């Protein structure tokens, strides 16, 4: 650690000297120019100011999905219908000084157009997010199917190898038939031992 600290102090003093030379004699070329323009990787970048406000796209996407989900419910239709009916009835039957939107209901039309102009992009954004999720799910399903097919092929090969191996192994039925043949042969030898001895002579 002491060596690293000494190296840092040495480097900073070198850079100060180079800056002083550049201020005195003008910009230099060569290794000192490379030293000045090199980006320090051991220090975090300084925050830059942006003209546009920053926002979290995931949070905005979740909000758009919530709004789109609410716009697709019967509750939204009922509330929208109630608001429009109250708006129209108030602007027809309220006293003249308390009406804010006369008969052609231009302000109501403007509000509905504004609501539709915001609802359409939010619904499209929610659909795009759903499409991305569906694409990921389909990719995972495809990989899972490939793994299942590979496992099935492996098990099929193993079963075929077992069948081929069992063809060379003595089974219970084969052993039983061999024992039965042996017992029959022994019984025959017991019943006719003399004939066999004479035949051998």
């Amino acid at each position: 650690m002491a060596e690293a600290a000494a190296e840092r102090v040495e480097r900073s003093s070198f850079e100060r000297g180079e800056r002083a030379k550049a201020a005195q004699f003008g910009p230099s070329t060569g290794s000192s120019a490379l030293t000045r323009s090199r980006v320090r990787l051991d220090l975090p970048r300084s925050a830059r100011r942006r003209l546009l406000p920053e926002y979290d796209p995931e949070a905005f996407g979740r909000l758009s999905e919530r709004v789109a989900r609410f716009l697709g419910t019967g509750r939204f239709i009922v509330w929208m219908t109630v608001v429009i009916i109250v708006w129209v009835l108030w602007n027809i039957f309220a006293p003249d000084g308390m009406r804010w939107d006369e008969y052609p209901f231009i302000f109501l039309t403007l509000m509905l157009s504004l609501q539709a102009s915001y609802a359409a992009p939010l619904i499209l954004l929610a659909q795009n997010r759903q499409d991305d999720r569906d694409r990921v799910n389909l990719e995972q399903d495809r990989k899972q199917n490939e793994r299942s097919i590979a496992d099935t092929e492996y098990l099929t090969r193993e079963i075929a190898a077992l069948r081929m191996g069992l063809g060379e192994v003595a089974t219970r039925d084969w052993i039983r038939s061999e024992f039965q043949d042996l017992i029959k042969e022994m019984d025959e030898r017991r019943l006719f031992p003399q004939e066999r001895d004479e035949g051998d002579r």
Side-chain angles (χ1 to χ4, degrees):
M1 288 182 71
E3 292 177 4
E7 186 179 336
R8 256 186 261 138
V9 169
E10 205 173 295
R11 189 185 305 151
S12 64
S13 63
F14 175 75
E15 288 174 358
R16 275 198 299 265
E18 288 295 321
R19 279 193 220 113
K21 282 182 190 174
Q24 198 173 18
F25 301 110
S28 62
T29 58
S31 62
S32 61
L34 290 175
T35 307
R36 264 187 293 116
S37 64
R38 188 175 62 191
V39 177
R40 294 282 306 266
L41 298 178
D42 58 339
L43 296 176
R45 277 186 172 180
S46 59
R48 295 180 181 176
R49 288 190 177 182
R50 296 189 179 186
L51 297 176
L52 298 175
E54 293 184 15
Y55 67 95
D56 183 13
E58 283 299 313
F60 189 72
R62 286 193 294 272
L63 175 67
S64 68
E65 285 179 343
R66 235 178 274 139
V67 171
R69 203 171 291 123
F70 176 68
L71 290 177
T73 59
R75 185 187 304 168
F76 171 74
I77 295 172
V78 169
W79 278 108
M80 193 76 173
T81 307
V82 168
V83 167
I84 291 173
I85 289 172
V86 168
W87 186 296
V88 170
L89 291 177
W90 179 267
N91 286 297
I92 289 175
F93 297 112
D96 290 337
M98 299 181 72
R99 296 180 194 170
W100 65 81
D101 194 15
E102 293 294 330
Y103 162 65
F105 307 119
I106 295 171
F107 190 50
L108 176 63
T109 307
L110 177 66
M111 293 299 291
L112 291 176
S113 301
L114 187 65
Q115 182 263 331
S117 67
Y118 273 100
L122 288 175
I123 291 170
L124 287 174
L125 180 59
Q127 285 179 348
N128 289 340
R129 284 172 60 87
Q130 186 62 42
D131 289 342
D132 292 341
R133 274 197 299 270
D134 291 342
R135 194 176 303 113
V136 170
N137 289 336
L138 285 173
E139 185 66 22
Q140 289 177 349
D141 290 344
R142 187 182 64 77
K143 288 180 180 176
Q144 183 65 36
N145 288 338
E146 287 178 357
R147 283 196 294 268
S148 300
I149 290 170
D151 291 343
T152 306
E153 289 176 354
Y154 172 74
L155 289 174
T156 304
R157 286 194 299 271
E158 288 295 315
I159 290 171
L162 283 173
R163 282 182 180 169
M164 291 171 63
L166 282 176
E168 300 170 359
V169 174
T171 60
R172 185 175 56 186
D173 293 336
W174 181 80
I175 292 173
R176 186 179 296 153
S177 66
E178 289 293 320
F179 275 136
Q180 286 173 354
D181 292 342
L182 188 60
I183 289 169
K184 282 180 189 175
E185 189 177 340
M186 290 174 66
D187 287 342
E188 287 176 3
R189 282 187 181 177
R190 259 190 242 133
L191 289 175
F192 310 107
Q194 295 174 352
E195 293 179 4
R196 291 206 171 227
D197 291 338
E198 289 174 1
D200 290 340
R201 287 177 191 172

